[in-house]
Amino acid sequence: MNKKQPIGVFDSGVGGLSVLRHLQAQLPAEQFIYLADQGHVPYGSRSAQEIIQFSQGITQFFIQLNVKAIVIACNTASAAALSLLRQQFTLPFVGMEPAVKPAAQQTQSGKVGILATGGTFASARYARLTAQYAQGVSVWEDPCVGLVPEIEAGRLDSPTVHQILQQALTPMLVAGVDTVVLGCTHYPFVLPVVEGILGTAVPIIDPAPAVARQTGVVLRQHNLLADGSQSGGVRFITTGAAEPYAWQVERLLGLSGVGVETAVWHGHQLSVGW
Ligand code: DGL
């Protein structure tokens, strides 16, 4: 492993771009490869076993592309696969989890709301997290069914998005929740709608900046932090269709003229092109 190698970042789709933007801001000399597994999105309604297989295939693919570390920019994949991947592969992984701990620390009412996928809520990792950090705190959960497909389709302000979030957040507000966690990396892209419903009095926690900081810490620990002798950049790859992906990347990251590549699943293995 050396400092010049890229960092692999993956999500089921475009959600992890909300993490990538913080990674790029905090680690500007790093080269990233961002893989959106849009051939399988959404992960949130799939079994843990399936998500483990996808995550293993993506890890092997990234190793072929010579990455030095992997950031799982997906709460659902981290919940299902992170601990197993760490056992099976030697390169460093950074994962995500809903920010239950900071929410439990900062709530005044003792009531917090978590928006995440059904897969994340059903995981043993999430159960451990709430058992450990949310004792004495009431946790209101909502899986926001249908929200990830809307965001994947580029509909960030549609009536469906408003309806899903209204249904999720209104009972939380009525119950007196005073802190809300975005526990899925897609959701920061509908932050204006969430803010419109919650108003300014309810803080919203997006763990992406902390994940980017943690990535820097892990790279430094392994002596793998890029030293500035190279310029940073991103290679964008999707297992779905190239054209809508390029459009989404440009729109969500405020870029233009982005080139994207496709990767194809053959059983549990992933390879570039077709
Ligand atoms: N963005 C993902 C997460 O953070 C997964 C969304 C999905 O594919 O359901 O959980």
Side-chain angles (χ1 to χ4, degrees):
M1 282 314 169
N2 73 64
K3 297 175 181 185
K4 290 191 192 304
Q5 288 171 250
I7 299 167
V9 182
F10 77 91
D11 180 41
S12 58
V14 294
L17 296 172
S18 71
V19 181
L20 180 72
R21 61 188 176 185
H22 290 283
L23 287 165
Q24 284 193 280
Q26 293 189 34
L27 303 167
E30 299 292 344
Q31 310 262 4
F32 296 96
I33 303 174
Y34 182 88
L35 179 98
D37 189 12
Q38 291 179 305
H40 291 137
V41 71
Y43 277 9
S45 47
R46 290 179 180 273
S47 72
Q49 197 46 43
E50 272 183 299
I51 296 167
I52 286 170
Q53 276 165 2
F54 302 152
S55 303
Q56 287 168 328
I58 293 166
T59 299
Q60 264 145 1
F61 174 72
F62 275 150
I63 289 170
Q64 280 164 26
L65 296 182
N66 205 26
V67 303
K68 62 183 176 185
I70 293 178
V71 178
I72 308 181
C74 175
N75 292 266
T76 313
S78 300
L82 178 61
S83 53
L84 192 66
L85 293 175
R86 282 187 172 140
Q87 286 167 29
Q88 292 176 334
F89 298 93
T90 53
L91 77 175
F93 286 89
V94 177
M96 304 207 56
E97 60 192 19
V100 172
K101 187 180 173 187
Q105 281 167 347
Q106 79 181 50
T107 177
Q108 300 287 313
S109 67
K111 292 171 186 155
V112 304
I114 316 275
L115 306 182
T117 67
T120 297
F121 287 132
S123 68
R125 193 175 159 88
Y126 178 76
R128 274 200 303 277
L129 195 65
T130 44
Q132 194 173 354
Y133 297 115
Q135 272 178 16
V137 171
S138 304
V139 177
W140 291 73
E141 298 165 355
D142 195 287
C144 297
V145 174
L147 187 54
V148 167
E150 280 296 289
I151 296 168
E152 282 293 315
R155 293 189 290 269
L156 307 181
D157 193 29
S158 66
T160 308
V161 166
H162 281 263
Q163 191 198 336
I164 293 167
L165 287 168
Q166 198 82 51
Q167 268 176 17
L169 295 169
T170 304
M172 294 184 186
L173 281 175
V174 170
V177 157
D178 68 351
T179 309
V180 168
V181 172
L182 303 183
C184 167
T185 55
H186 279 75
Y187 301 167
F189 291 121
V190 291
L191 183 62
V193 181
V194 176
E195 285 174 336
I197 297 166
L198 291 178
T200 49
V202 179
I204 300 160
I205 304 180
D206 173 8
V211 169
R213 270 195 302 283
Q214 178 62 15
T215 305
V217 169
V218 168
L219 291 174
R220 216 166 282 122
Q221 276 168 355
H222 289 81
N223 199 23
L224 286 174
L225 197 65
D227 55 18
S229 63
Q230 64 178 17
S231 51
V234 191
R235 191 171 160 192
F236 293 100
I237 306 177
T238 180
T239 63
E243 222 172 279
Y245 180 55
W247 175 79
Q248 284 165 313
V249 169
E250 289 178 0
R251 180 167 175 229
L252 296 174
L253 295 183
L255 303 172
S256 59
V258 167
V260 304
E261 296 163 73
T262 53
V264 179
W265 286 102
H266 305 278
H268 299 323
Q269 285 189 350
L270 197 54
S271 57
V272 178
W274 35 77

